[in-house]
Amino acid sequence: MTRLFHNMPVPEVLRALRQAKGYYITNTARDLSQSDFKNRILLHTDLLAADSREKAGYFSLEITGGASVHVDILRHQVNPFTKLKVLRERMPQTMFQTLCRGVNLFGYRPYPQNVIRFTVREFAKYVDVWRTFDFMNHIENMRAVFEEVAKAGKINEPCICFSTGPEHTDAFYTDKVREIIDVTGNDIILCIKNHGGLGTPTRIGELVDAIKQRFPDLPIHYHGHNTDGNDVGRITAAVLNGASIVDAADFSFTGYYGPPPVLSVIQALKELGHTAIGIDENAIIETSDVIRDERKYYEQFESQIKGFQPTVQIHKLPGGAMGSSLEQASKGNFLDRMPAILHHELPRVQKELGNWWSVTPGSQILWTTAVSNVINGERYGNPSGDLRNLLLGKYGPFPFYNPEIWIYEKVLGENWQQVLKDEGGIEAIDDIDLAHERFALSEKIGAEPTDQQLVLYLQHPKDAVEFFKFEEQYGQVYVLPPSIFFRQGGFEVGQVLNFQDHNGKEHMIEIGPSPVIDTGETNVYLNVDHHQSIFTFLPEASSGNPGQAAIPTKEEIQDLAMTGDMRSPFAGNIVEISVKEGQEILAGDRIAIMEAMKMQTPILSRTDGIVVMISARSGDSLRPGDRILTIRVIE
């Protein structure tokens, strides 16, 4: 057996891995896109690479999952299911792989069990290998995914998330593998998910050896990042000690924070007598040759800080979080504070909160806490809702040790012990009425939704609806190359843009006039392949309009809350309105949940009273100071 194929029975795949005289390679294209290009690599580019990737003979192509499902619809790039369907037509033999966050699926919060199972069933129609992790390594948070993947006849690849420190011993990780197998049975692949590229080659080799000593028939898949420039060394050590599969990516697109180059891995291991099974090196070279010229169109999404970062061994921030964190720092004008955040505050917060694994959503909790501590000056003085939930044990028990009491007091309040008693522990999330949600979605999009549309809506309601409406109005824009989709600098009237689609067919876009009509709207005329289209845009609101309301300060928002005028404390989206008009509430009761930068924060009442008017709805995007609701204060 020299190659493994899409739709092969799971027992045959596992038998081949156990008998392999060499190692297999997964092309982690999705991880490359997330870590080094903020998830912006378009389907058009993946389709250009499809033929040569198909010939390359990979164990699998990781092409969906993680944050890509959200970003694909958020940025109006492509329907994630369309991506899988179109790529399967071009890659009939290669197994597709996903990255799933267990109970958080492809989102950032825990979902009901029936949503988890429904989502896995739909994606399993296209995805062969399910790499599933939990940032607390809490096995119960992954159970539903394991069960549904097995029912679908697909490959379960549970993860142990890896980190460093005195608590992260071989004994701890091998016991964790035992916990996984007790749930899944023996017919799995185990992934060592080294999401930050942590540890030395020696340390990774020791861990692989320890697992193989205890579980000799267990195939191991090593996944790491090349943030410090040393992951080829870790991959080599993993293979030398018995790993069956390793991760890498196309060399013409590799950067600093994602996987290392495939060809470099092959070359390093070849001299040591280890062969990449089923691999066509010429096809690997061809892939990079085909897509190399596309890279320049993605430069705007590459990291604000160039170069390898050996200091990842200190701050432990994974590749996917590095890009988004640097982008946030750039937009927030605190790039100059990054050394203090990364090299001092972040490792300090890591230890204070238990030295667990910095991967979604844990990496966001650590990052936002460290940033708040540095920028606001008061450590743990402005905790996020997710930090609060962490201390309440909503994500699972702390694996090694609990934070110190003073942190509980800062985050939960002086009566933290009672709060922990009343609210602590993982809560069972009740199943939701999928028929009701389907009806709600049909009302929003004006049509009966497909199961796949419902899946996307259940995870990202606001962004999914906006994407469906966008696609209905403008069509499937994945046919556009990055040179058009990400074009910067505007357009001139009469300008003609020529491009080829992923099938090599020539297209033309001619920019027509853009008159402003009596209503103030702008009609934009386009000739697309000699067919005229007219698009109407509303006038932009001028930021300098006289009388425009000024954004209140943090202190003013807090003062208004004391009078019952509840305002948004930051820019974000309303996830939930937790109360109803006419409801009597007490100070400290949750009135809403808001989300920003993947973090959910509860908005709490500052006073006793009765809700008299609700001004915001679930899904609304609010600026700081926008009204959420009004409470009539009870003296």
Side-chain angles (χ1 to χ4, degrees):
M1 180 71 68
T2 59
R3 182 170 181 177
L4 307 177
F5 297 96
H6 166 59
N7 275 339
M8 279 185 70
V10 174
E12 288 188 29
V13 173
L14 295 175
R15 188 181 309 116
L17 291 172
R18 288 167 180 149
Q19 298 173 355
K21 304 299 181 183
Y23 65 97
Y24 290 87
I25 298 176
T26 287
N27 184 322
T28 46
R30 182 224 49 94
D31 194 14
L32 174 74
S33 177
Q34 177 166 340
S35 298
D36 287 307
F37 300 95
K38 301 182 178 70
N39 265 315
R40 297 306 211 287
I41 293 181
L42 300 178
L43 176 56
H44 186 280
T45 300
D46 286 320
L47 285 168
L48 289 179
D51 293 345
S52 51
R53 282 177 176 167
E54 173 76 349
K55 289 188 296 184
Y58 294 115
F59 169 76
S60 60
L61 174 69
E62 189 197 68
I63 197 61
T64 189
S68 74
V69 171
H70 185 209
V71 176
D72 278 349
I73 61 174
L74 175 68
R75 304 300 178 186
H76 299 159
Q77 293 175 182
V78 67
N79 185 311
F81 288 102
T82 300
K83 176 195 288 188
L84 292 168
K85 293 174 189 176
V86 173
L87 280 171
R88 176 55 68 207
E89 293 173 0
R90 296 283 293 273
M91 303 182 70
Q93 295 184 323
T94 303
M95 290 196 289
F96 288 166
Q97 180 171 308
T98 190
L99 179 68
C100 179
R101 300 167 180 151
V103 72
N104 297 322
L105 290 173
F106 307 121
Y108 316 106
R109 60 185 174 87
Y111 292 94
Q113 288 288 299
N114 64 336
V115 172
I116 295 171
R117 295 178 185 278
F118 179 41
T119 300
V120 173
R121 286 196 298 270
E122 285 303 309
F123 272 94
K125 295 174 182 178
Y126 309 94
V127 175
D128 303 276
V129 183
W130 285 74
R131 175 177 289 172
T132 307
F133 75 94
D134 178 75
F135 85 95
M136 294 293 275
N137 274 327
H138 187 56
I139 309 306
E140 282 302 309
N141 285 345
M142 300 184 278
R143 180 186 288 270
V145 176
F146 294 159
E147 291 174 354
E148 290 301 321
V149 170
K151 287 179 185 177
K154 303 300 182 178
I155 299 170
N156 258 316
E157 189 176 287
C159 296
I160 51 169
C161 296
F162 173 77
S163 190
T164 54
E167 302 84 12
H168 295 264
T169 63
D170 289 344
F172 172 82
Y173 286 114
T174 53
D175 286 347
K176 192 60 66 173
V177 175
R178 177 76 269 167
E179 285 185 51
I180 291 172
I181 293 175
D182 286 344
V183 172
T184 63
N186 294 315
D187 290 338
I188 62 170
I189 299 168
L190 178 80
C191 177
I192 297 175
K193 182 172 170 56
N194 188 6
H195 40 272
L198 303 178
T200 62
T202 298
R203 175 70 192 101
I204 295 301
E206 291 171 349
L207 178 58
V208 173
D209 180 64
I211 296 171
K212 293 298 287 186
Q213 291 288 340
R214 189 166 172 185
F215 307 98
D217 291 330
L218 180 63
I220 294 177
H221 191 159
Y222 172 76
H223 164 78
H225 282 185
N226 203 33
T227 307
D228 66 347
N230 202 21
D231 210 51
V232 174
R234 286 183 287 265
I235 287 172
T236 300
V239 171
L240 293 178
N241 284 277
S244 304
I245 319 167
V246 297
D247 284 0
D250 300 298
F251 58 84
S252 65
F253 262 66
T254 48
Y256 303 110
Y257 304 127
V262 172
L263 203 57
S264 298
V265 170
I266 294 171
Q267 291 167 346
L269 282 163
K270 189 179 294 185
E271 287 194 348
L272 298 173
H274 290 262
T275 302
I277 299 173
I279 288 293
D280 182 336
E281 291 186 34
N282 289 328
I284 290 173
I285 295 171
E286 180 184 322
T287 304
S288 279
D289 287 344
V290 167
I291 63 176
R292 178 176 286 106
D293 289 343
E294 298 279 290
R295 181 164 183 163
K296 58 179 174 288
Y297 303 115
Y298 296 103
E299 286 179 354
Q300 59 190 292
F301 306 115
E302 294 195 60
S303 171
Q304 285 80 1
I305 296 178
K306 300 294 192 292
F308 294 110
Q309 286 200 39
T311 54
V312 69
Q313 306 298 333
I314 299 171
H315 61 72
K316 301 182 181 180
L317 202 61
M322 280 300 303
S324 60
S325 299
L326 290 167
E327 183 177 34
Q328 183 189 358
S330 177
K331 291 180 178 179
N333 295 318
F334 59 90
L335 266 176
D336 60 318
R337 309 291 293 276
M338 287 296 282
I341 294 169
L342 290 177
H343 304 152
H344 300 287
E345 186 60 22
L346 192 52
R348 188 179 177 188
V349 167
Q350 277 260 10
K351 292 180 181 178
E352 289 172 345
L353 294 183
N355 196 27
W356 31 264
W357 298 272
S358 181
V359 60
T360 304
S363 52
Q364 282 82 11
I365 295 173
L366 295 168
W367 163 254
T368 55
T369 301
V371 169
S372 177
N373 289 353
V374 170
I375 301 301
N376 295 327
E378 182 185 359
R379 303 192 74 242
Y380 298 97
N382 188 29
S384 68
D386 294 273
L387 175 57
R388 189 175 189 274
N389 286 335
L390 175 78
L391 295 184
L392 289 172
K394 301 298 184 186
Y395 299 105
F398 285 97
F400 305 120
Y401 57 87
N402 290 353
E404 294 183 9
I405 290 175
W406 70 270
I407 296 178
Y408 280 92
E409 290 178 338
K410 290 281 284 189
V411 176
L412 302 180
E414 292 182 359
N415 62 335
W416 66 272
Q417 290 173 306
Q418 188 62 44
V419 173
L420 196 59
K421 181 180 178 181
D422 294 342
E423 302 180 31
I426 296 178
E427 294 179 0
I429 303 176
D430 293 336
D431 284 352
I432 62 174
D433 186 338
L434 295 182
H436 174 78
E437 296 298 323
R438 186 185 295 275
F439 176 77
L441 177 56
S442 69
E443 289 286 290
K444 292 176 179 178
I445 64 175
E448 180 67 17
T450 66
D451 285 349
Q452 293 171 1
Q453 286 179 314
L454 182 57
V455 162
L456 299 176
Y457 170 74
L458 290 170
Q459 290 177 83
H460 305 289
K462 178 178 180 292
D463 297 325
V465 169
E466 289 186 357
F467 174 78
F468 300 148
K469 291 180 177 179
F470 174 88
E471 196 170 62
E472 176 69 21
Q473 183 174 4
Y474 298 111
Q476 296 180 325
V477 300
Y478 75 82
V479 299
L480 296 174
S483 60
I484 303 297
F485 195 96
F486 294 127
R487 180 185 171 85
Q488 295 178 294
F491 304 92
E492 299 293 332
V493 173
Q495 186 173 6
V496 176
L497 306 175
N498 295 295
F499 67 93
Q500 289 185 343
D501 63 22
H502 51 272
N503 291 316
K505 183 179 178 181
E506 294 285 345
H507 297 277
M508 177 272 290
I509 299 175
E510 183 178 7
I511 313 298
S514 303
V516 178
I517 59 180
D518 293 342
T519 62
E521 297 171 328
T522 302
N523 284 338
V524 177
Y525 290 79
L526 294 178
N527 283 318
V528 180
D529 291 345
H530 305 291
H531 297 284
Q532 188 177 83
S533 300
I534 305 173
F535 300 96
T536 301
F537 295 89
L538 296 173
E540 292 187 7
S542 172
S543 59
N545 285 342
Q548 184 181 27
I551 296 176
T553 65
K554 177 180 177 182
E555 291 74 19
E556 289 171 335
I557 291 172
Q558 292 174 345
D559 290 342
L560 288 168
M562 295 301 297
T563 70
D565 188 356
M566 299 299 302
R567 305 293 187 102
S568 172
F570 52 80
N573 297 326
I574 293 286
V575 175
E576 171 190 294
I577 297 294
S578 309
V579 295
K580 298 179 181 178
E581 289 184 359
Q583 180 176 336
E584 187 172 339
I585 60 175
L586 301 175
D589 285 352
R590 187 179 76 201
I591 60 117
I593 299 175
M594 291 189 64
E595 181 178 77
M597 294 298 293
K598 304 180 184 179
M599 307 300 292
Q600 294 190 357
T601 299
I603 309 301
L604 308 180
S605 174
R606 300 292 297 274
T607 182
D608 300 346
I610 297 173
V611 178
V612 294
M613 183 176 66
I614 297 176
S615 305
R617 296 180 302 171
S618 177
D620 284 354
S621 296
L622 303 184
R623 301 179 307 159
D626 284 350
R627 181 174 286 110
I628 300 174
L629 55 79
T630 305
I631 301 166
R632 186 174 73 238
V633 177
I634 298 176
E635 299 293 345

